Amino acid sequence: MIPSRSAFLSFAAALITGVALGVSAPLLGAIELPATNSLHLVLSAGWVWAALAFCVGFAFRSRIRSAVVAGASLTAAVVAYYVTKLIQGEYREWVNLDDPSQGTHIYWAGFLSKTLFWGAAAVALGLLLGLAGNLGRNAGPRGLSFRLLIPLIAIAETSMRLSVEASSQGSVASTTWNVTRLGAVAFIFILAIQEFRARSDRATRPTRHLSPNPGCDDSSRRSAHKTSGS
């Protein structure tokens, strides 16, 4: 009973985290303040959404559970994101362009097409990133290579945005992406140092050579003692 309850709570926490990300990103974008605009840029970045699925996968020991829950969490984030955008009035169009007095209605085709497309992408990418997060739990170079995945994605994305979008997005965006890139580089160094120290500890740790049957040593010593006494 306890393991099933723990699994349910872990699944619920992953879904809630995904929904929180999906809701926060567009809401912060509606606030015209430099700090909230910077946070909006961070939470809307692809590497943060990838980090969500990776961290969810990292939290579970089972590879299957890591992949499934990560995919569900990322999908929940996508659905929450587009529902929030819908509530904010983004997917609306004029009922009659020639008569604006008729008001607007929801453009369901645009809303559903984007939600379904990115929802399907979230399932596929969530499964892969969740599995990558689980493999990142391993010690040694193999686990390190997976743990480096998210900071490398962050560096690639921010570098692309700085070269393509920085001139049109303003100083807040440029500063945000530069700081994010520097933070990702620093995180890579931290991971590398941790792995180096872990390898040093494993190399200097004394090893104990145990007999397959500890009782054999005692019986052998007793036999040798009797032989020498006779």
Side-chain angles (χ1 to χ4, degrees):
M1 183 68 183
I2 294 178
S4 61
R5 182 181 179 183
S6 176
F8 173 78
L9 291 176
S10 299
F11 181 75
L15 291 183
I16 292 172
T17 303
V19 171
L21 174 62
V23 171
S24 299
L27 286 181
L28 290 171
I31 303 174
E32 297 296 332
L33 291 173
T36 55
N37 186 25
S38 179
L39 190 56
H40 161 71
L41 291 172
V42 172
L43 294 181
S44 300
W47 71 268
V48 172
W49 293 63
L52 168 67
F54 183 91
C55 291
V56 170
F58 190 86
F60 293 93
R61 294 182 178 180
S62 167
R63 292 184 181 179
I64 295 177
R65 185 174 295 177
S66 293
V68 171
V69 179
S73 179
L74 194 58
T75 303
V78 168
V79 174
Y81 177 86
Y82 283 107
V83 169
T84 304
K85 300 284 279 187
L86 177 67
I87 295 173
Q88 289 178 323
E90 180 165 328
Y91 294 97
R92 303 195 68 85
E93 63 179 2
W94 295 105
V95 174
N96 187 347
L97 291 176
D98 297 328
D99 185 10
S101 63
Q102 296 183 22
T104 62
H105 64 170
I106 297 175
Y107 178 44
W108 288 108
F111 168 74
L112 292 175
S113 62
K114 283 194 173 182
T115 304
L116 291 175
F117 175 81
W118 287 110
V123 172
L125 293 175
L127 291 172
L128 295 175
L129 289 166
L131 179 59
N134 180 272
L135 294 174
R137 295 168 58 95
N138 295 324
R142 179 187 177 188
L144 177 62
S145 63
F146 286 101
R147 292 193 295 274
L148 292 174
L149 180 62
I150 299 304
L152 289 176
I153 292 176
I155 292 172
E157 181 180 2
T158 52
S159 297
M160 181 274 294
R161 291 186 181 277
L162 284 168
S163 62
V164 176
E165 303 177 17
S167 59
S168 60
Q169 293 294 328
S171 60
V172 174
S174 299
T175 302
T176 301
W177 293 329
N178 274 307
V179 171
T180 300
R181 184 167 61 177
L182 289 175
V185 171
F187 191 68
I188 288 176
F189 276 104
I190 292 173
L191 290 176
I193 292 172
Q194 286 180 341
E195 178 59 26
F196 177 78
R197 289 180 176 176
R199 292 189 63 181
S200 299
D201 291 341
R202 289 193 296 267
T204 57
R205 187 179 302 156
T207 57
R208 296 178 61 188
H209 299 284
L210 298 177
S211 171
N213 186 359
C216 292
D217 293 339
D218 294 336
S219 60
S220 299
R221 285 195 293 269
R222 286 196 296 267
S223 299
H225 178 73
K226 291 180 180 179
T227 303
S228 60
S230 61

